[in-house]
Amino acid sequence: TVLQVLSKKGYNTVEEVARSYMKNLKIDPHNDLETWQQAVEAKQIVNYQMNENAFFDRNIIDEIAFRKFRNMEIPLHLIQKAKEVDYDEVFFFDFWEEIYNNYYDDMSNTMSMGDARKLGSKLLSTYNSFGYRPLFMNQEEPVKRTEYILNNI
């Protein structure tokens, strides 16, 4: 993945919290979505505070988009925190069927292809609502995408 390439080049990277939780802690969001979402959000906030100069797979604004997508209430403290953070640049990895089929072909994928596309739209509109204008990533292999990122920071 792009984060792996960046990490190998010596950059600080932060993996996706939700995916890590599912793999390492075996937390199931289907049992209690609100508790799950709060745990992921808390970790996202800590990740930002501890890694201000890093490349993040997901972040606080993503969590707001996830809440919108799932029709969940958005806590005011989360909106406030999203206004406080300052990401230098946002690189948007639009839905890519090949990646969906390969990368997400494991136990942590609980989203249909259609929902993954809808979530992408929700992510983009949420970033825009916080004043970000994401740069769209091309559908090339990770080294090429990494070069694009490094040329645009």
Side-chain angles (χ1 to χ4, degrees):
T1 69
V2 171
L3 280 185
Q4 291 168 337
V5 175
L6 286 166
S7 183
K8 286 179 183 176
K9 289 182 172 283
Y11 292 95
N12 184 19
T13 60
V14 180
E15 68 179 8
E16 182 180 357
V17 172
R19 191 169 193 77
S20 172
Y21 273 15
M22 286 184 125
K23 283 185 174 186
N24 299 323
L25 301 178
K26 306 297 185 207
I27 296 174
D28 185 358
H30 297 101
N31 292 335
D32 185 350
L33 185 56
E34 182 62 35
T35 301
W36 160 266
Q37 192 63 40
Q38 289 174 11
V40 170
E41 291 160 2
K43 182 64 174 165
Q44 293 285 30
I45 291 168
V46 169
N47 279 349
Y48 179 78
Q49 292 168 339
M50 296 182 70
N51 299 284
E52 288 191 39
N53 293 314
F55 290 95
F56 296 88
D57 187 313
R58 297 273 186 205
N59 63 58
I60 298 163
I61 295 172
D62 289 65
E63 300 310 326
I64 292 173
F66 287 133
R67 280 185 172 271
K68 288 178 179 181
F69 175 74
R70 295 175 178 133
N71 295 314
M72 298 171 71
E73 184 178 333
I74 302 169
L76 291 177
H77 79 274
L78 193 62
I79 294 170
Q80 184 59 40
K81 188 54 76 174
K83 290 177 180 178
E84 292 171 10
V85 300
D86 183 22
Y87 300 108
D88 294 331
E89 193 63 69
V90 174
F91 296 93
F92 189 77
F93 291 70
D94 206 0
F95 181 83
W96 186 4
E97 189 170 339
E98 180 182 339
I99 297 295
Y100 176 88
N101 288 333
N102 294 323
Y103 180 70
Y104 290 105
D105 188 23
D106 60 29
M107 300 261 319
S108 66
N109 179 26
T110 60
M111 188 174 290
S112 72
M113 193 179 298
D115 280 349
R117 289 178 193 271
K118 291 175 189 173
L119 175 60
S121 295
K122 192 65 71 177
L123 287 163
L124 187 57
S125 67
T126 303
Y127 273 102
N128 287 334
S129 74
F130 280 93
Y132 291 95
R133 298 298 173 252
L135 296 175
F136 281 79
M137 295 300 300
N138 50 26
Q139 293 185 355
E140 295 181 316
E141 47 100 11
V143 171
K144 292 270 189 199
R145 288 182 278 159
T146 302
E147 289 172 7
Y148 177 80
I149 289 171
L150 295 176
N151 287 333
N152 284 281
I153 57 173

